[in-house]
């Protein structure tokens, strides 16, 4: 069983209680005077990277932390070269925008990465890059350029963990509908040709665009890369540079499509006032009586 050192305990304590840097530095000084082998500065303790260049891009600024920089330390610590089968590291990518405060238009667009086949790191998410501005990034090419360039190197060369090379594969790219359309550089989900799964033309019905057809041709990686549907594509997507099947890897968002879509609509249709037992079954799985 791995022994947790004092430095790891201190790092966990700092993160858990959101301790100020001044307070941590004072504690480190006390521990140092007592003969413990600890650094004298919180930045050394937390392994804060010394240099990260903030780039000015259209509508805001962007900082890139790097795929290898974020993954290597944690993979080496947990001996990923031993615990990952077939030496293939499968990753998931998520990109979305979120407001910082209700009182302003300030927002961030983080590029997040997770490891999907390493049980020693459940639910671990790594920020690879972060955009900040008063509006979303103006250009998807400019926004994703540092990330795509960095990721292409990692995909082609792999990650070297204590002498063992791990191959890196992209399992999925998950975004909600607006962010997905932005990444793919296609029409939005409420456009007449906005379906990312098939070529069905939408119909305007009851103040919304709906897709009524059931047998329209499906979109494929080949037709997407060729910009086959002029009514769907707005331009080229940087994701074309990645060695992935775009239409399968950039998957549908279950939370928005099902939980906040179909299920929410069903709840609105069901009359729980007249049928209280139905409400109990929906919440608890069985009537209370």
């Amino acid at each position: 069983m791995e022994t947790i050192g004092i430095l790891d305990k201190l790092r966990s304590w700092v993160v858990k209680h959101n301790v100020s840097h001044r307070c941590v530095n004072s504690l480190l000084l006390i521990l140092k005077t007592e003969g413990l082998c600890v650094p004298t500065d919180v930045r050394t303790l937390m392994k804060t990277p010394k240099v990260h260049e903030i780039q000015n891009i259209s509508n805001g600024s962007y900082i890139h932390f790097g795929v290898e920089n974020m993954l290597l330390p944690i993979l080496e610590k947990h001996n990923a070269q031993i615990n990952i089968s077939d030496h293939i590291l499968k990753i998931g990518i998520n990109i979305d925008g979120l407001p910082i405060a209700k009182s302003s238009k300030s927002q961030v667009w983080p590029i997040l990465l997770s490891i999907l086949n390493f049980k020693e790191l459940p639910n671990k998410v790594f920020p690879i890059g972060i955009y900040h501005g008063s509006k979303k990034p103006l250009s998807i090419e400019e926004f994703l350029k540092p990330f795509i360039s960095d990721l292409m190197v990692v995909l082609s060369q792999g990650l070297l963990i204590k002498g063992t090379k791990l191959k890196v594969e992209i399992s999925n790219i998950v975004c909600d509908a607006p962010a997905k359309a932005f990444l793919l550089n296609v029409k939005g989900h409420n456009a007449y040709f906005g379906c990312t799964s098939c070529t069905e033309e939408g119909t305007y019905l009851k103040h919304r665009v709906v897709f009524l057809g059931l047998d329209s041709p499906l979109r494929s990686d080949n037709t997407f890369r060729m910009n086959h549907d002029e009514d769907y594509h707005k331009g080229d997507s940087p994701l074309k540079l990645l060695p992935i099947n775009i239409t399968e890897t950039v998957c549908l968002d279950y939370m928005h499509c099902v939980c906040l879509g179909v299920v929410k609509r069903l709840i609105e249709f069901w009359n729980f006032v007249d049928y209280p037992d139905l409400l109990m079954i929906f919440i608890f799985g069985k009537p209370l009586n």
Side-chain angles (χ1 to χ4, degrees):
M1 182 176 181
E2 183 181 359
T3 302
I4 300 177
I6 185 173
L7 296 184
D8 288 330
K9 292 179 180 179
L10 285 172
R11 293 187 192 104
S12 299
W13 172 73
V14 171
V15 174
K16 181 178 179 180
H17 299 286
N18 193 25
V19 185
S20 69
H21 284 194
R22 182 176 298 179
C23 177
V24 178
N25 285 337
S26 298
L27 175 62
L28 291 175
L29 182 59
I30 295 173
L31 295 177
K32 193 78 172 180
T33 58
E34 293 296 321
L36 293 178
C37 184
V38 296
T40 56
D41 191 274
V42 64
R43 291 169 293 184
T44 305
L45 172 69
M46 303 304 293
K47 299 181 179 180
T48 304
K50 296 181 179 180
V51 178
H52 280 309
E53 182 182 355
I54 299 178
Q55 308 172 26
N56 292 321
I57 64 175
S58 303
N59 284 353
S61 56
Y62 175 82
I63 182 171
H64 188 71
F65 304 117
V67 177
E68 187 173 348
N69 291 340
M70 297 301 293
L71 291 183
L72 273 183
I74 195 73
L75 291 175
E76 290 177 347
K77 177 181 177 181
H78 291 276
N79 297 318
Q81 77 281 4
I82 300 175
N83 296 316
I84 293 182
S85 60
D86 301 326
H87 293 159
I88 298 177
L89 187 71
K90 297 183 179 180
I91 62 173
I93 299 169
N94 172 256
I95 302 175
D96 199 1
L98 64 153
I100 294 180
K102 295 182 179 179
S103 58
S104 71
K105 296 182 179 180
S106 181
Q107 57 185 279
V108 293
W109 282 70
I111 300 175
L112 306 176
L113 186 148
S114 60
I115 301 175
L116 306 179
N117 63 329
F118 193 21
K119 62 182 181 180
E120 281 73 13
L121 294 174
N123 305 319
K124 192 75 172 181
V125 178
F126 304 87
I128 305 301
I130 300 177
Y131 162 88
H132 173 262
S134 58
K135 298 179 180 179
K136 77 175 186 178
L138 181 64
S139 167
I140 185 60
E141 292 84 1
E142 187 179 23
F143 170 50
L144 286 185
K145 183 178 179 180
F147 172 64
I148 295 294
S149 300
D150 183 21
L151 185 58
M152 288 290 292
V153 174
V154 173
L155 292 176
S156 62
Q157 299 181 1
L159 294 173
L160 189 62
I161 312 295
K162 296 181 180 180
T164 301
K165 180 171 288 188
L166 297 183
K167 182 181 179 181
V168 179
E169 293 182 354
I170 302 174
S171 291
N172 59 62
I173 301 176
V174 181
C175 309
D176 64 8
K180 181 180 180 180
F182 179 54
L183 261 63
L184 295 177
N185 204 7
V186 298
K187 299 289 180 65
H189 64 284
N190 54 355
Y192 283 104
F193 292 91
C195 180
T196 58
S197 298
C198 70
T199 59
E200 173 71 14
E201 179 179 0
T203 302
Y204 191 76
L205 181 66
K206 294 183 179 180
H207 310 293
R208 70 198 68 184
V209 175
V210 295
F211 301 94
L212 303 176
L214 301 176
D215 55 357
S216 296
L218 297 178
R219 302 192 187 277
S220 67
D221 182 66
N222 183 53
T223 59
F224 184 93
R225 292 181 180 276
M226 295 177 61
N227 289 6
H228 188 266
D229 188 351
E230 296 181 356
D231 295 315
Y232 174 64
H233 292 272
K234 297 168 62 176
D236 285 330
S237 170
L239 299 185
K240 289 183 178 181
L241 298 173
L242 299 176
I244 58 174
N245 185 317
I246 295 178
T247 54
E248 293 183 2
T249 305
V250 188
C251 53
L252 294 174
D253 179 19
Y254 170 78
M255 183 183 73
H256 288 85
C257 292
V258 179
C259 299
L260 297 180
V262 177
V263 175
K264 181 179 179 182
R265 185 63 56 85
L266 286 174
I267 293 174
E268 292 174 352
F269 287 159
W270 291 336
N271 190 341
F272 289 134
V273 175
D274 294 338
Y275 302 97
D277 285 343
L278 184 59
L279 175 60
M280 296 301 104
I281 294 174
F282 180 77
I283 297 176
F284 302 105
K286 60 180 181 180
L288 290 182
N289 295 331

